[in-house]
Amino acid sequence: MIGIYFSGTGNTKYCLEKFVSLYDRNIEITPLEDEGTIEKVAHHKDIIFAYPIYYSNLPKIVQDFICGNSDVWKEKHIFIIATMGLFSGDGAGVSARLFKRYGAQIWGGLHLKMPDCICDVKALKRTPDQNKQIVIQAEECIKSAVYNLKNGTPTKNGLGFWCHIAGLLGQRLWFYRKTQAYSDKIQINSDTCIKCGKCALVCPMNNLSLTKGKIVANGRCTLCYRCVNQCSKKAITILGKKVISQSSIDDFGN
């Protein structure tokens, strides 16, 4: 078994690590954007696949990873973990339908509410204590899901017909275009940016680069918000115009 994840600001990685620590500490976990990840996947039949949900849909980078490696998923057994800021309906289902198309069997699905990481939009902002409680509740859900999986009754969040309808009507129909292509909406405030290059280092898409003394965006943002949350000068925005509250799982996790 292997664990594969995409994690913008650490929420999803944290959840997968907790899941694996309870299920089997010997399971290797690896980010999907790392070179060699798909080769590792090819050598395992059972997979725990974890990612965040944006607008009730897959991040573009996750969609491309699944579809771009379609020949790898045949006869794999996949348990899906989907993290979200509020509710997605079929957060696990959006990838499950792709995996099934490519011949995989879906083992189960788990939805986990986690602290919001979209730090330049006011919606879903909570106090540090509220976020800590959200993480504690997620950990309890993980414990329950691991127990169920070990006992042959895997959790199946987001995999049914009505979950699919809820996902469509909740956000996906209205914001479909937000995740169907990479975004070119990144804004970098040249007055506050100190050109440290950290944003370029953390970007999973290699979308940012330090060129001729300034940070340049190349129109391939997958909306993970790593750069925005880790910019020490709060010089980067994507959806909003001002950084309201930066987020890191290190502030809330145990």
Side-chain angles (χ1 to χ4, degrees), residues 33-201:
E33 67 266 27
D34 274 13
E35 185 177 350
T37 290
I38 200 63
E39 184 177 347
K40 293 178 181 179
V41 170
H43 290 90
H44 292 270
K45 184 175 183 179
D46 297 333
I47 300 166
I48 305 171
F49 193 85
Y51 54 83
I53 286 294
Y54 304 155
Y55 297 104
S56 290
N57 212 347
L58 292 173
K60 177 62 171 165
I61 188 175
V62 177
Q63 179 180 321
D64 283 357
F65 180 79
I66 297 172
C67 298
N69 298 289
S70 58
D71 57 328
V72 174
W73 310 115
K74 188 175 182 180
E75 297 182 356
K76 302 293 187 186
H77 294 165
I78 303 176
F79 187 93
I80 300 165
I81 298 175
T83 62
M84 56 203 69
L86 188 60
F87 171 78
S88 72
D90 58 345
V94 285
S95 68
R97 291 188 289 277
L98 289 177
F99 284 130
K100 287 179 181 179
R101 180 189 303 173
Y102 301 132
Q105 298 178 36
I106 303 305
W107 211 356
L110 175 62
H111 286 182
L112 297 169
K113 181 179 174 182
M114 290 293 284
D116 170 62
C117 65
I118 309 301
C119 56
D120 56 356
V121 175
K122 290 182 179 180
L124 299 183
K125 293 298 171 285
R126 304 177 180 93
T127 67
D129 285 344
Q130 287 173 327
N131 281 324
K132 287 179 181 178
Q133 282 301 121
I134 287 172
V135 173
I136 289 170
Q137 290 168 6
E139 290 174 352
E140 290 301 313
C141 291
I142 292 169
K143 290 177 184 177
S144 177
V146 169
Y147 176 85
N148 291 341
L149 190 58
K150 285 184 173 181
N151 284 278
T153 56
T155 305
K156 295 185 180 293
N157 296 158
L159 300 178
F161 172 78
W162 291 112
C163 295
H164 189 182
I165 297 300
L168 281 173
L169 297 181
Q171 287 192 90
R172 198 157 58 251
L173 282 178
W174 324 115
F175 299 106
Y176 186 76
R177 293 181 181 274
K178 296 285 188 181
T179 55
Q180 289 309 295
Y182 291 108
S183 174
D184 60 357
K185 302 300 184 184
I186 283 184
Q187 298 294 318
I188 300 166
N189 187 328
S190 58
D191 293 332
T192 54
C193 173
I194 59 173
K195 289 79 177 177
C196 67
K198 184 176 183 179
C199 56
L201 291 175

Side-chain angles (χ1 to χ4, degrees), residues 209-224:
S209 59
L210 183 58
T211 304
K212 295 182 180 180
K214 67 177 182 178
I215 298 295
V216 177
N218 299 305
R220 284 181 57 80
C221 173
T222 193
L223 302 178
C224 75

